Amino acid sequence: MVSQDGRVTMREVYLYFENGVYMQAGAFGAEGTSVGEVVCNTSLSGYQEIITDPSYAGQFITFTMPEIGCVGVNKEDFESTRVHCKGVIVRNYQHRVSNFRAQDSLDSLLKRFGAIGITDIDTRFIAKMLRSKGAMMMVASTEISDKEELKTILQRAPRFEEINYIEEVSTKAKYIHPHGRYNAKVFAYNKPKAYRKRIACLDFGVKRDILSELTEAGFEVEVYPYNTKAQTLIDSYTQNEIVGVFLSNGPGNPLLLKDVHALIRKLIDAKVPMFGVCLGHLLLGIAHGYEVNKLKFGHHGSNHPVKNLDTAQVEITAQSHNYTIDDSITEVAQVTHKNLFDGTIGGLRYKDAPIISVQYQSKSSSGSLGNGYIFEEFHKLIQK
């Protein structure tokens, strides 16, 4: 809060982690008590895109970039309709907004959507703790300071991996994505190409920028609710109303989505061309009968190196996921990309099906334009 003489005074917020660590910090954004999983994000920019990414539903995001808030927020950089994370943890929240595109502050945005902002805290300690112990549950409260009471709240709350967040982030009705990639030279979105092939996007929490990249690649993208019937999509494909299906990114535990596993299996059997990103990549692996495993602290950031095994080039990617496909999937798929941080699978091309997938959010916000070619690869796959 900013007083009349220009000084910044913060409310207090109290944190209790499942490993017993108890901390006090400054608060901005919404007030209240909230429970979620804590992860680290290593991005140097793009905080608005990150906190409005549905892939972070149910999580507190610890930013390793120490200064957050200085560019404010604007209506064009939303990746969805709202903030989906439980809150953010930053070393220093900058209340003074200094950017010509800014229309509001991060503090106001978090208040509007009920997310807690946590600042004046050693984020290096939190990052090292998560790296050592793994991602963990936490409760944050601007109302309760008693350690034992916070511990009780945390112990009684469901764990992150027990909650199906897809129900709250997926669209409730079909719609056509209206534009292509954002053009920073003219501060406007590119218009869709004149001739486009229509694909269906199953929405598990899709980012707007991914839809824009698909449109930029020459697709007309019709977004469907995650619980759409498989036969609806198969009928649309056989009747040439769509040429393929895109399986989007999204939050939470892919093992909970039993109905989606069965849906995708039916699409596989019907030989429908598919492209999966992030959660969609994992769901394809499960639908083929292979295991996925939870990573110690996941991959979260827009600066993660992935090696393209087809070209031997290293790509800088944006990632936000907690799970990885077991290496045994090489029985049915060729590994096309490898994560250079830990050697996990970064991309697959299935051997006997028109299906590709990547375990990263191939898009420009808040990452690089350099891996946008993967959308063109899907276009070529469909043409074959």
Side-chain angles (χ1 to χ4, degrees), residues 115-130:
I116 297 175
I118 300 161
T119 186
D120 294 341
I121 196 169
D122 189 350
T123 50
R124 294 173 300 177
F125 168 79
I126 296 175
K128 289 179 179 179
M129 179 174 68
L130 298 180

Side-chain angles (χ1 to χ4, degrees), residues 244-345:
V245 173
F246 176 76
L247 306 175
S248 84
N249 63 290
N253 181 357
L255 296 172
L256 296 178
L257 307 175
K258 304 293 186 183
D259 291 343
V260 177
H261 304 164
L263 181 158
I264 295 173
R265 183 66 251 178
K266 291 177 181 178
L267 296 180
I268 294 169
D269 293 340
K271 301 295 183 182
V272 177
M274 282 187 282
F275 174 26
V277 165
C278 208
L279 181 62
H281 165 84
L282 296 168
L283 292 169
L284 278 167
I286 294 171
H288 276 88
Y290 291 86
E291 294 183 356
V292 300
N293 306 300
K294 190 170 185 183
L295 296 162
K296 186 175 182 179
F297 44 79
H299 299 154
H300 306 279
S302 59
N303 45 14
H304 288 233
V306 167
K307 185 174 182 179
N308 183 323
L309 301 184
D310 290 335
T311 64
Q313 292 183 325
V314 175
E315 303 166 7
I316 302 304
T317 67
Q319 304 198 14
S320 174
H321 58 267
N322 286 16
Y323 294 81
T324 184
I325 295 177
D326 189 83
D327 287 346
S328 60
I329 199 168
T330 52
E331 294 172 343
V332 298
Q334 174 190 350
V335 177
T336 57
H337 299 76
K338 265 297 191 188
N339 188 297
L340 293 183
F341 279 155
D342 57 12
T344 54
I345 293 173

Side-chain angles (χ1 to χ4, degrees), residues 23-150:
M23 304 176 77
Q24 177 182 337
F28 63 103
E31 298 186 30
T33 301
S34 188
V35 176
E37 183 180 62
V38 190
V39 296
C40 276
N41 186 292
T42 56
S43 300
L44 300 181
S45 63
Y47 60 78
Q48 181 182 344
E49 293 95 323
I50 292 164
I51 67 173
T52 57
D53 178 354
S55 298
Y56 285 102
Q59 294 178 319
F60 286 95
I61 306 168
T62 304
F63 285 98
T64 57
M65 177 65 181
E67 294 284 337
I68 297 292
C70 49
V71 297
V73 298
N74 62 70
K75 65 181 181 180
E76 291 175 330
D77 289 345
F78 277 82
E79 288 290 359
S80 63
T81 58
R82 57 170 294 121
V83 171
H84 290 279
C85 64
K86 292 283 187 173
V88 299
I89 305 174
V90 304
R91 175 66 187 92
N92 182 49
Y93 170 64
Q94 179 53 259
H95 71 281
R96 291 171 294 185
V97 175
S98 180
N99 187 277
F100 72 98
R101 294 179 68 224
Q103 297 168 321
D104 208 343
S105 68
L106 176 59
D107 175 60
S108 297
L109 181 66
L110 294 180
K111 285 177 179 174
R112 192 192 324 166
F113 294 108
I116 297 175
I118 300 161
T119 186
D120 294 341
I121 196 169
D122 189 350
T123 50
R124 294 173 300 177
F125 168 79
I126 296 175
K128 289 179 179 179
M129 179 174 68
L130 298 180
R131 185 177 64 186
S132 173
K133 305 295 183 182
M136 64 181 71
M137 296 295 292
M138 182 195 81
V139 56
S141 180
T142 60
E143 308 162 318
I144 302 166
S145 61
D146 182 74
K147 177 181 177 180
E148 292 303 314
E149 187 174 353
L150 291 173

